[in-house]
Amino acid sequence: MVVNCTENMDDGKTYTYFRHVAHSFANGTYAHVMKVDDDAWLHLRNLDAWVASLPQRGVYFGFEIGQAWFMGGMGYGVSWDLAVWISRDAWVAIIKGQEDAVVEMWLKASGLLEHWKSQTTSAFYEDPKYGGIWSHAYTPDTILIHRLKNDSWFLAPSRHFMPQLMDASLLGYM
């Protein structure tokens, strides 16, 4: 989904995204909505299995950043009811700041947040080649790999997890 919004980290991009999604789809179309960075790769089968196990109301999920008490911006999601609340609440629309932390503040203030579901670094992590503090080798329970900064890095998880689906021309590219 492409949202008509200027790229930014702390001036309303996440609000604009959740608002756009909530206004673009009818209630009941989806149970959860997830925001993911464009340099992240999702293992859709693992994501689907995890999200299917989550409650369908009042849930905020992702990878909690240390003791910061918010989900890391690489990718996090909310249940549909929270996405709709975000899209309709006037206070949410005016609160600006570091968006990953601001989302947590919105949700706590909503009175609707009932479930906080955080994955471990074995499921949400940075690409091994990136060399960051959350970088490590691929794991079977991978849900999201972040900081895939070029095409070759972005295709590498697909090659690893789904070699049977990779086009031969792409395999040579990596």
Side-chain angles (χ1 to χ4, degrees):
M1 170 177 288
V2 176
V3 178
N4 186 16
C5 177
T6 303
E7 173 61 32
N8 67 84
M9 190 173 104
D10 48 10
D11 195 29
K13 175 180 66 175
T14 302
Y15 165 76
T16 301
Y17 168 73
F18 282 121
R19 184 174 183 272
H20 180 78
V21 169
H23 289 217
S24 296
F25 300 97
N27 280 333
T29 304
Y30 297 103
H32 301 90
V33 178
M34 188 169 185
K35 168 254 178 230
V36 178
D37 281 358
D38 64 357
D39 65 345
W41 183 90
L42 290 170
H43 192 300
L44 294 177
R45 184 175 296 141
N46 289 352
L47 173 65
D48 182 56
W50 182 47
V51 171
S53 74
L54 298 176
Q56 292 196 4
R57 297 191 56 79
V59 68
Y60 174 42
F61 61 93
F63 169 60
E64 185 177 349
I65 301 296
Q67 297 300 315
W69 304 109
F70 62 85
M71 302 301 177
M74 63 180 79
Y76 54 81
V78 297
S79 51
W80 183 259
D81 61 312
L82 293 177
V84 169
W85 176 81
I86 290 168
S87 77
R88 293 180 180 164
D89 192 274
W91 174 76
V92 168
I94 62 171
I95 300 299
K96 304 284 193 243
Q98 199 283 336
E99 295 210 342
D100 305 332
V102 167
V103 168
E104 177 267 343
M105 182 174 56
W106 297 339
L107 297 176
K108 284 186 175 176
S110 74
L112 302 172
L113 180 61
E114 300 172 24
H115 309 281
W116 184 286
K117 301 294 184 178
S118 179
Q119 271 292 348
T120 66
T121 57
S122 66
F124 280 62
Y125 54 94
E126 294 173 337
D127 186 75
K129 294 178 188 132
Y130 183 73
I133 61 171
W134 296 308
S135 293
H136 57 72
Y138 299 138
T139 64
D141 59 333
T142 294
I143 292 174
L144 184 149
I145 303 170
H146 188 224
R147 302 209 189 270
L148 301 166
K149 296 299 186 182
N150 62 52
D151 291 344
S152 177
W153 285 18
F154 199 87
L155 291 171
S158 295
R159 181 180 188 194
H160 176 83
F161 289 106
M162 305 178 307
Q164 72 282 8
L165 300 178
M166 294 297 293
D167 182 272
S169 64
L170 293 176
L171 290 174
Y173 178 72
M174 296 183 288

